[in-house]
Amino acid sequence: MTTSTPSSVSAPVDRLGRGVDDLRISVIDRCNFRCTFCMPADQKYTFLPKAELLTFEEIERLARIFVELGVHKLRLTGGEPLLRRDIEHLVEKLARIDGVKDLALTTNGFLLNDKAKALSDAGLDRVTVSVESLDAATFGKINGLGHSIDTVLEGIDAAANAGLGPIKINTVVMRGTNDDEVVDIAAYFKQRGHVVRFIEFMDVGTLNAWAPDDVLSAEEILNRIGAAMPMEPLERHRSSDVALRYRYLDDGVEVGAIASITRPFCGACSRARLSSEGGLYSCLFATTGTDLRSLLRSGQSDREIETAIRSVWSQRSDRYSEERSQRFALGVIDSEPKIEMFRIGG
Ligand code: SAM
Ligand code: SF4
Ligand code: SF4
């Protein structure tokens, strides 16, 4: 393997003037849940054999190149990242990279109780845990396999005790499925000081039978919470922040919503995504990626891989979510086979 130092002459900018500052790395395409909105249980799935997954060394090498290009936030995701054996060894490698200011992981939390301490010891900064319901029956139905919410809540406590905070909770809201729980979920995590991000149900992938009527808008979500627990808006930290952020008046705990359907934020999108087999995707709704694994495995130098990444980024013009509303208005059905979310992560 040739490992010449990548050039850091200038950070790439895409056709809409957006840099790349955030890399989401899917470490596995398998999952121990079958969430209705992501990997419905009634579908058949084929997963990558181990030899096709990027190795930890390959992921580290790519992450170093991305950091040279301007990335300073790394997030491990999946599938379910805690199913990847020895994931803490990867965390350790990534935590050592100079220039990484934020190393996070998104998980369904089911294995977090066992893993939290090892992840924290390895240098993980924080976790985001996905929780769609606090009700045992609803939770079991949404995760498709009847898994217990108690295990996930114990995992969240373990993560907080291991110092993996500020803990964030992702909650996809689906009208008629869990929208009646929005205030309860907000109140439960408010009490524990964790930041909930309510996410509008998105039309990712091709399997989740998404329909516009299933979406509860961020505005309605925040109105319901605000009516029960008064809050005030917060300024955006950075222009690339995607959440509408609020703070409860009584205790200052933050809560927010991600309005990718009703208030798309493509203009500030500086996220690159790496699938578990090493495909580079410039949008969550992309149909194809660029194969970086074959570059890694054919002896290309860091400089050559950097050039390939620059080329992808400089040609990028993705703004799927902004275009979605126009398509709906025109009654145009999206016929492209979009990549599934469990293959590239959130
Ligand atoms: N398995 C991990 C988990 O669930 O946290 C990580 C991967 S999952 C694909 C990453 C995030 O994508 C989760 O927070 C999940 O809720 C979100 N997600 C999946 N499908 C979605 C959809 N249709 N709309 C909005 N968010 C979705
Ligand atoms: Fe659910 Fe995450 Fe697994 Fe998708 S990848 S099925 S969101 S736990
Ligand atoms: Fe970024 Fe694509 Fe989402 Fe727009 S639709 S915010 S470009 S990932």
Side-chain angles (χ1 to χ4, degrees), residues 69-313:
L69 291 172
V71 162
H72 56 266
K73 291 171 72 175
L74 298 178
R75 177 174 294 274
L76 299 178
T77 175
E80 174 46 45
L82 300 188
L83 287 182
R84 180 80 189 250
R85 189 186 294 249
D86 298 328
I87 180 76
E88 59 276 19
H89 295 172
L90 174 62
V91 168
E92 213 175 319
K93 288 179 187 297
L94 299 178
R96 281 200 300 257
I97 301 176
D98 267 351
V100 174
K101 299 197 183 113
D102 186 25
L103 179 55
L105 176 143
T106 305
T107 172
N108 61 32
F110 203 66
L111 301 173
L112 200 47
N113 205 356
D114 290 344
K115 284 283 187 181
K117 172 122 187 1
L119 290 168
S120 175
D121 289 348
L124 188 73
D125 291 322
R126 57 196 183 87
V127 289
T128 297
V129 187
S130 305
V131 177
E132 270 68 43
S133 174
L134 294 174
D135 173 78
T138 310
F139 186 75
K141 221 160 122 185
I142 293 178
N143 69 51
L145 299 175
H147 285 313
S148 154
I149 179 61
D150 294 340
T151 312
V152 174
L153 297 179
E154 281 163 22
I156 294 171
D157 289 346
N161 291 336
L164 290 172
I167 307 265
K168 286 193 182 157
I169 307 295
N170 274 357
T171 302
V172 178
V173 182
M174 294 154 287
R175 194 189 285 279
T177 302
N178 65 345
D179 71 296
D180 57 335
E181 282 194 67
V182 159
V183 173
D184 290 348
I185 292 172
Y188 177 91
F189 291 110
K190 172 180 187 290
Q191 206 180 22
R192 286 154 184 81
H194 305 330
V195 180
V196 185
R197 297 273 194 250
F198 291 94
I199 305 177
E200 290 179 350
F201 178 29
M202 292 189 285
D203 52 334
V204 288
T206 57
L207 306 173
N208 63 15
W210 183 90
D213 287 350
D214 300 334
V215 178
L216 187 74
S217 71
E219 187 183 357
E220 196 171 341
I221 294 169
L222 292 167
N223 282 344
R224 286 189 194 178
I225 298 168
M229 298 174 285
M231 56 197 202
E232 63 183 3
L234 283 171
E235 290 296 312
R236 284 178 159 202
H237 282 314
R238 300 174 313 139
S239 62
S240 58
D241 277 350
V242 297
L244 304 168
R245 300 169 53 235
Y246 284 76
R247 173 169 61 200
Y248 296 112
L249 294 185
D250 58 353
D251 57 13
V253 173
E254 193 186 317
V255 61
I258 300 185
S260 35
I261 304 290
T262 59
R263 283 174 68 175
F265 37 79
C266 300
C269 180
S270 52
R271 292 177 175 176
R273 292 181 159 86
L274 196 57
S275 68
S276 42
E277 77 267 53
L280 171 60
Y281 290 81
S282 56
C283 178
L284 191 51
F285 298 90
T287 54
T288 53
T290 300
D291 179 10
L292 298 182
R293 188 186 63 196
S294 61
L295 302 183
L296 289 164
R297 295 187 183 176
S298 63
Q300 305 272 303
S301 68
D302 285 5
R303 185 65 190 274
E304 285 164 321
I305 296 171
E306 180 204 311
T307 302
I309 297 170
R310 276 183 185 279
S311 160
V312 170
W313 202 261

